[in-house]
Amino acid sequence: KYSYLERSLSFIIINKYFNKFNYYLFEKKYLSNKVDLSCKYILFYLHYEPDLSTIVWAPYIKNQLEAIKNISFSIPNGYKLYIKEHPLSVGTRDRGFYKTIVSNHNVKLINSSFDGKKLLENTDCVVTITGSIGNEAMYFNKPIITLGNVYYNDFIGTKNVTDFSKLKEEILKSIKDKNYTEKDVEIFIIKL
């Protein structure tokens, strides 16, 4: 394999458009704009890769697919795991990546263009590696579980989990204990 820098510009451009074309073919079959917001679900946004969020700030997570599998096994019975693609990653991942995600029995892959506000308003909990979705979840009074090191780990509504054997317990606790108010969010933001 060639390194990224050794590839010609034309190869990079062709590869980029080929991946985007594959994504749109895949999108028609597996990604959905029809999302049942009335069911119980946990929300996870895919991270752009490569990025500090997964390389440096999440020393225990090197593979998002494994993280998704572990989250899928850890969510309570009767819940779905809704996963939304990062807008900058559209067309950068191969089809096998998405097929692996949808092979989990309780996972729904959502189109990157679906309204994130609607997803946040109706979720019972947000799980993220280190994504900004956790910060956004504060404004919707949603419990947040992080799998990496991020500045809002100190927020009262955030639980940082680095051991997947404890993830199910923390998700259940977070859903039951929605333990913060708008005032807590204001105080946390002021301290930043």
Side-chain angles (χ1 to χ4, degrees):
K1 286 192 164 189
Y2 295 102
S3 78
Y4 191 76
L5 296 174
E6 293 172 328
R7 294 179 178 166
S8 70
L9 182 59
S10 59
F11 174 83
I12 293 167
I13 292 169
I14 290 168
N15 193 47
K16 180 179 177 180
Y17 285 103
F18 179 75
N19 282 341
K20 279 198 180 216
F21 178 72
N22 270 334
Y23 176 82
Y24 291 116
L25 288 178
F26 185 85
E27 176 182 49
K28 289 181 186 283
K29 186 172 182 183
Y30 293 104
L31 274 72
S32 181
N33 274 322
K34 294 178 182 176
V35 180
D36 181 4
L37 297 172
S38 65
C39 79
K40 293 181 175 185
Y41 65 91
I42 307 297
L43 186 59
F44 180 84
Y45 278 25
L46 288 169
H47 288 264
Y48 179 78
E49 291 180 301
D51 190 54
L52 282 174
S53 62
T54 53
I55 294 173
V56 176
W57 297 336
Y60 308 106
I61 309 288
K62 294 299 177 210
N63 181 334
Q64 287 191 84
L65 293 174
E66 280 301 311
I68 289 165
K69 185 177 177 182
N70 282 303
I71 297 165
S72 169
F73 287 139
S74 299
I75 63 175
N77 289 336
Y79 275 80
K80 290 242 181 235
L81 177 60
Y82 282 5
I83 299 175
K84 186 177 175 193
E85 174 62 285
H86 192 288
L88 295 176
S89 294
V90 171
T92 62
R93 307 181 207 264
D94 63 53
R95 265 192 268 185
F97 181 86
Y98 299 112
K99 284 183 179 179
T100 302
I101 291 173
V102 296
S103 70
N104 294 290
H105 75 285
N106 58 353
V107 171
K108 182 172 185 90
L109 191 55
I110 298 168
N111 193 312
S112 67
S113 62
F114 190 84
D115 185 355
K117 183 179 176 188
K118 287 181 183 175
L119 289 171
L120 273 169
E121 285 173 342
N122 295 288
T123 190
D124 286 339
C125 181
V126 170
V127 179
T128 184
I129 297 173
T130 59
S132 60
I133 187 67
N135 189 49
E136 293 173 42
M138 285 183 214
Y139 300 103
F140 290 88
N141 198 32
K142 300 299 178 178
I144 307 151
I145 295 178
T146 61
L147 306 175
N149 302 315
V150 66
Y151 70 92
Y152 55 83
N153 276 352
D154 294 333
F155 177 62
I156 190 171
T158 303
K159 301 285 184 202
N160 180 247
V161 178
T162 57
D163 180 354
F164 279 120
S165 69
K166 296 178 181 173
L167 185 58
K168 185 170 193 157
E169 176 187 335
E170 290 300 331
I171 289 173
L172 285 168
K173 271 198 243 176
S174 293
I175 290 170
K176 288 179 186 174
D177 297 341
K178 296 183 182 177
N179 63 346
Y180 67 92
T181 64
E182 284 183 32
K183 188 70 174 168
D184 294 321
V185 175
E186 288 175 26
I187 290 167
F188 178 75
I189 291 171
I190 289 168
K191 286 181 181 178
L192 290 177

